[in-house]
Amino acid sequence: MASLPPPLTWLDPGEPFPAVTVAWGQESDAPGLLCAGADLLPHTLQAAYAQGIFPWFSDGQPILWWSPDPRMVLRVQDFRLHRSLRKTLHTFIATAGCEVRMDTAFPQVIQACAESSRRGQSGTWIVDDMVAAYTRLHTLGLAHSVETWCDGVLVGGLYCIGIGQAVFGESMFMRQTDASKIALAALVAFCRHTGIQMVDCQQNTQHLASLGAREMPRADFVHHVRQAREGQAPQWEFSPLYWNELLSA
């Protein structure tokens, strides 16, 4: 008979997070679930990410906090630039009016991610409270958007958290084919240029694995975060010269 997971810890606002080692295991119905409650204030979110914890919940649920083991990450040197994406990038770079920007349209990016349909999902985890919370983080310089623009129109992008040199990917969207992949490739190029080693992907998906992401033990991930969060935060600006970090490889 499978063992039951331990009772779920409920946090009041301001309470510290429990150790990630007490998160529910793979044998449970919710692997990686750590605790519930607290709030989505900037200092709470910053404390969570600094310990390898992130919020994920739907409308009608309390705030749920997660720290799965293993953790899906993309080491930027392992990014797979498939032939088709390489061709797409060459075309994008050579096309007048097409460009990547950072942090010029964060509210639009996170709202577009919230409104994007996901295969196998009937709703979104990017609920209104999450949109408001991460927009506050953006104003504090801790949440960032990577945006794909064509002829002045936002056609794709992603948003992420950055604490020092620790980067945590959150969600992507696209309105044109491959626009989100272009944004991810731009983030990888940016990370390579600025010395950032990896991007947290949270959960294992086939799509991320196809681009070079892989699982790593949570303990190793948390160790990386502790070191990377103390690093010098980069200037979140994208230069077309950064494409050389990918295309010259």
Side-chain angles (χ1 to χ4, degrees), residues 92 97-101 105 108-109 112 116 146-158 172-183:
F92 178 83
C98 290
E99 60 179 328
V100 166
R101 305 176 191 171
Q108 296 96 308
V109 169
S116 295
V146 183
E147 309 147 10
T148 307
W149 292 83
C150 287
D151 296 325
V153 177
L154 179 65
V155 296
L158 61 83
M172 302 188 293
F173 82 98
M174 67 175 180
R175 294 170 178 156
Q176 288 186 8
T177 302
D178 289 336
S180 59
K181 287 183 180 180
I182 291 171

Side-chain angles (χ1 to χ4, degrees), residues 3-238:
S3 60
L4 294 176
L8 187 63
T9 300
W10 184 272
L11 300 182
D12 289 328
E15 280 194 89
F17 288 98
V20 296
T21 52
V22 304
W24 291 6
Q26 290 291 336
E27 73 285 350
S28 73
D29 292 334
L33 181 58
L34 177 66
C35 58
D39 55 50
L40 294 174
L41 293 177
H43 68 272
T44 304
L45 286 168
Q46 186 172 1
Y49 280 95
Q51 298 171 68
I53 303 164
F54 61 89
W56 184 35
F57 60 99
S58 301
D59 273 325
Q61 294 181 324
I63 302 171
L64 301 175
W65 301 92
W66 304 75
S67 186
D69 186 16
R71 190 73 164 234
M72 192 72 166
V73 301
L74 174 60
R75 297 182 185 274
V76 296
Q77 293 300 327
D78 293 341
F79 181 69
R80 293 176 185 163
L81 186 60
H82 297 290
R83 182 179 300 176
S84 59
L85 181 54
R86 179 182 290 271
K87 181 178 179 181
T88 295
L89 288 178
H90 278 295
T91 301
F92 178 83
I93 294 166
T95 301
C98 290
E99 60 179 328
V100 166
R101 305 176 191 171
M102 287 183 165
D103 286 347
T104 70
F106 185 90
Q108 296 96 308
V109 169
I110 192 171
Q111 193 61 49
C113 289
E115 295 171 355
S116 295
S117 60
R118 313 286 179 185
R119 182 178 299 176
Q121 298 182 19
S122 57
T124 180
W125 59 270
I126 311 174
V127 298
D128 290 346
D129 286 348
M130 292 279 271
V131 171
Y134 284 81
T135 301
R136 287 194 296 267
L137 277 187
H138 172 66
T139 64
L140 296 173
L142 296 172
H144 304 280
S145 55
V146 183
E147 309 147 10
T148 307
W149 292 83
C150 287
D151 296 325
V153 177
L154 179 65
V155 296
L158 61 83
Y159 74 98
C160 59
I161 304 300
I163 302 175
Q165 290 210 326
V167 175
F168 309 85
E170 287 296 319
S171 187
M172 302 188 293
F173 82 98
M174 67 175 180
R175 294 170 178 156
Q176 288 186 8
T177 302
D178 289 336
S180 59
K181 287 183 180 180
I182 291 171
L184 179 58
L187 176 60
V188 169
F190 170 80
C191 288
R192 288 186 180 183
H193 182 80
T194 56
I196 293 169
Q197 296 179 10
M198 70 172 65
V199 177
D200 174 35
C201 301
Q202 298 179 350
Q203 303 280 3
N204 192 339
T205 69
Q206 184 176 357
H207 172 65
L208 290 170
S210 72
L211 295 173
R214 60 184 179 180
E215 293 179 333
M216 71 183 302
R218 180 177 56 210
D220 293 347
F221 172 75
V222 171
H223 177 73
H224 163 78
V225 170
R226 286 174 179 164
Q227 292 187 318
R229 72 191 187 193
E230 302 301 328
Q232 180 65 42
Q235 279 291 119
W236 284 78
E237 298 175 350
F238 188 81

